[in-house]
Amino acid sequence: MTTYRGGLVGCGRIGTLWETDPPTPLTHAGAMALHPQIELVAGSSRGAEHLQWFGKRWGVDALYRDYRAMFERERLDIVCIATHPGLHLPIVEAAVAAGVKGILCEKPLALSLADGDAIVKACRRGASGRGCVLAVNHSRRWDPVHQKAKAMIEEGLIGEIVSLLGICQGIKPFPAWVADEEGPLIHDAVHTFDLFRMFGGDVASVVGTAHRRMQPFDVEDISDAIFTFQNGINGVVMASEITRYNRFELEIQGTEGLIVLGNQGNRWCSSVDRTDRLNEPDPRIEWYSLVPEPFPEVAEASSIAAAMAELVDCIETGKRPRSTGEDGVASLEMVMAIYESQLQGNVPVALPLSQRDSTLYRLRTAGHFA
């Protein structure tokens, strides 16, 4: 059994600070430390306090303020990147140049499609053309509940998917992340967009809004968007950081029922009872009623641990991770398409986008968030 040398870049919340004792794991560091084939040997962070906490927590002595020095000296095989997304490209390029075999990178993959494209290209090429496996931490891709929901849909329990509804609401935990770069679309709703692709497939177009209503940051704090998928499914996303409460929910609406997944609990309803006959329709309107069904029990499991296990397997077998660099670019492109729709006066915008810069910056230049 091969042992891999692992290192972390970014010792913040998802990097290491959120970890429990004993570790669950909940973080990149925890996922590496608990994997039987990974030896967590090094860490890098711009902040000395977090870096020292990481070293003490995991018994790691190789601590660096400069990730390039870490790559040069530590001969790492696996790297987790948990920094501000604007830094992801140079870190990925340096890791690939140092011969790293696999990278688990936090979402969003980048702050522009150009950087996202460059990250994918760098990993595809790899050091000396050998390639580097890149997985993007769209965490719900590995979540047992979302995997179960996908299996239920494939079994036909809610019929054919008609539409998707995503709700992503909460308050920006300023100053815990860079406020002027990451509104609710790019920081949290990027998970929603990835789930839209997971359940609905590729997106054809979007009509969206992106406004600053209450928060003092030069970026949107509320957005609504309507997506049309290539297969004809429609999707609606409501995202904001105005509410005092946090709500993340995905509703998958089918021809014969629906599934709702979120932090308020998971549930599903069907218009077909367990004897496989339709429930009696309401005689006044001839519609069938939705009947609540118990959501199947699913064993709890760490999504990030599953992502790490899959990364190791992909290194060894040549398989592709379930959340690739291309998936990271695609979810980011949905954000940029909403910005583009707002920039053009809330008209439909077709994907893929030809312009690969950050549409957020063009909105700012136009004075939209002033």
Side-chain angles (χ1 to χ4, degrees), residues 252-321:
I252 307 162
Q253 301 169 353
T255 54
E256 296 179 2
L258 60 85
I259 295 174
V260 182
L261 310 172
N263 56 7
Q264 307 302 314
N266 309 306
R267 61 189 188 276
W268 78 287
C269 300
S270 176
S271 61
V272 180
D273 69 18
R274 295 305 89 206
T275 62
D276 292 328
R277 67 175 180 81
L278 286 172
N279 298 306
E280 291 300 321
D282 186 321
R284 296 167 298 176
I285 52 179
E286 298 183 353
W287 288 342
Y288 294 98
S289 299
L290 285 171
V291 177
E293 303 278 1
F295 195 87
E297 291 188 11
V298 178
E300 291 187 13
S302 165
S303 296
I304 201 164
M308 189 58 60
E310 184 183 77
L311 182 65
V312 171
D313 182 62
C314 290
I315 292 172
E316 296 183 340
T317 65
K319 296 177 183 177
R320 287 169 61 83

Side-chain angles (χ1 to χ4, degrees), residues 206-211 338 340-349:
V206 61
V207 177
T209 66
H211 297 296
I338 294 173
E340 186 67 39
S341 179
Q342 179 64 60
L343 184 65
Q344 296 185 21
N346 310 113
V347 300
V349 170

Side-chain angles (χ1 to χ4, degrees), residues 304-365:
I304 201 164
M308 189 58 60
E310 184 183 77
L311 182 65
V312 171
D313 182 62
C314 290
I315 292 172
E316 296 183 340
T317 65
K319 296 177 183 177
R320 287 169 61 83
R322 67 186 67 186
S323 178
T324 65
E326 288 84 356
D327 291 318
V329 172
S331 61
L332 178 64
E333 186 169 39
M334 293 167 74
V335 175
M336 294 301 163
I338 294 173
Y339 288 149
E340 186 67 39
S341 179
Q342 179 64 60
L343 184 65
Q344 296 185 21
N346 310 113
V347 300
V349 170
L351 281 75
L353 298 177
S354 58
Q355 288 193 273
R356 311 301 281 179
D357 62 348
S358 173
T359 320
L360 172 63
Y361 296 150
R362 286 192 278 126
L363 275 172
R364 286 178 175 173
T365 300

Side-chain angles (χ1 to χ4, degrees), residues 5 10 30 37 61-62 99 104 118 133 155 168 185 196 228 244 246 259 265-266 288 295 341:
R5 291 172 60 82
Q37 289 181 254
D61 297 323
L104 178 60
V133 179
E155 291 171 20
C168 181
L185 287 175
F196 268 32
T228 301
R244 294 185 62 184
N246 170 256
I259 295 174
N266 309 306
Y288 294 98
F295 195 87
S341 179

Side-chain angles (χ1 to χ4, degrees), residues 99-116:
V100 167
K101 297 180 176 67
I103 295 172
L104 178 60
C105 185
E106 259 309 307
K107 60 76 203 167
L109 183 60
L111 290 178
S112 73
L113 295 176
D115 279 7

Side-chain angles (χ1 to χ4, degrees), residues 13 70 344:
R13 300 178 302 161
M70 180 177 73
Q344 296 185 21

